[in-house]
Amino acid sequence: MTAEPRLPDGASALVLTASDRSAAGERADTSGASIAQRLAAVGFAVERAVVPDDRQAIAEALQAGAARHRLVITTGGTGLTPRDVTPQATASVVDYEVPGIAEAMRAEGLRFTPFAALSRGIVGVRGGSLIVNLPGSPKGALESLEVVIPLLAHALETLAGPFDHAAARARGRSDLPEGTP
């Protein structure tokens, strides 16, 4: 496990599963449950939702989630099938992307399987919320989440803006890299 982040008080997250079969009650949402459990362990109050693999339904759930939570994590719908539309839905609602996080998740996944390169998940910002697409497999989702966890406190802190790195280091924030503005 990675170092646990120092989260802001009241940090909350939505875990949104995009799955036709889970939405229809035909399959348990094990990825969503695993992600929610891990986020709760690092201090998030977690809400969960399941929607079918439908671009509009996903986009609407992302918009609603970002209005209520500083972090929205999706699982599912990042592959290559025609029903895998989570990245398109996410791209339609974010203000801008944060490609380094998605690249880091894929790079970490490649340590375990060459199929990680087939994940199309993106990461972006809507308002003051971070939206992260994780794979649908429980193993891939948790491996990707472990890449994100050490970044969350600082990402959410800077999204709340404005953030003075030098002042935070002077107050004893040793988790910030030297030389950042």
Side-chain angles (χ1 to χ4, degrees):
M1 298 282 165
T2 56
E4 305 303 339
R6 293 189 221 175
L7 298 174
D9 290 337
S12 67
L14 170 66
V15 175
L16 177 65
T17 299
S19 168
D20 288 331
R21 291 191 296 171
S22 292
E26 298 170 3
R27 179 176 63 190
D29 176 20
T30 55
S31 293
S34 297
I35 294 164
Q37 182 177 13
R38 181 66 179 117
L39 289 174
V42 298
F44 282 94
V46 180
E47 175 187 354
R48 290 182 54 203
V50 179
V51 295
D53 291 302
D54 174 80
R55 187 172 172 170
Q56 188 63 36
I58 296 166
E60 289 173 4
L62 290 171
Q63 290 169 322
R68 292 189 314 273
H69 303 282
R70 299 281 310 287
L71 177 64
V72 177
I73 301 279
T74 71
T75 180
T78 62
L80 301 179
T81 75
R83 297 289 294 163
D84 289 331
V85 295
T86 302
Q88 295 95 308
T90 303
S92 77
V93 302
V94 297
D95 301 324
Y96 56 91
E97 291 188 28
V98 186
I101 298 174
E103 292 163 4
M105 290 189 300
R106 276 187 281 279
E108 177 66 10
L110 286 169
R111 293 184 47 226
F112 303 102
T113 176
F115 298 116
L118 299 177
S119 176
R120 298 181 307 110
I122 68 170
V123 177
V125 171
R126 179 179 175 86
S129 299
L130 186 67
I131 300 176
V132 179
N133 296 161
L134 300 181
S137 77
K139 183 176 183 299
L142 287 175
E143 288 169 356
S144 294
L145 183 60
E146 289 305 318
V147 172
V148 177
I149 285 176
L151 308 173
L152 288 176
H154 189 61
L156 297 179
E157 193 171 43
T158 56
L159 282 172
F163 185 77
D164 184 336
H165 288 85
R169 275 195 306 279
R171 289 191 311 270
R173 286 286 305 276
S174 60
D175 60 316
L176 296 175
E178 290 297 320
T180 55

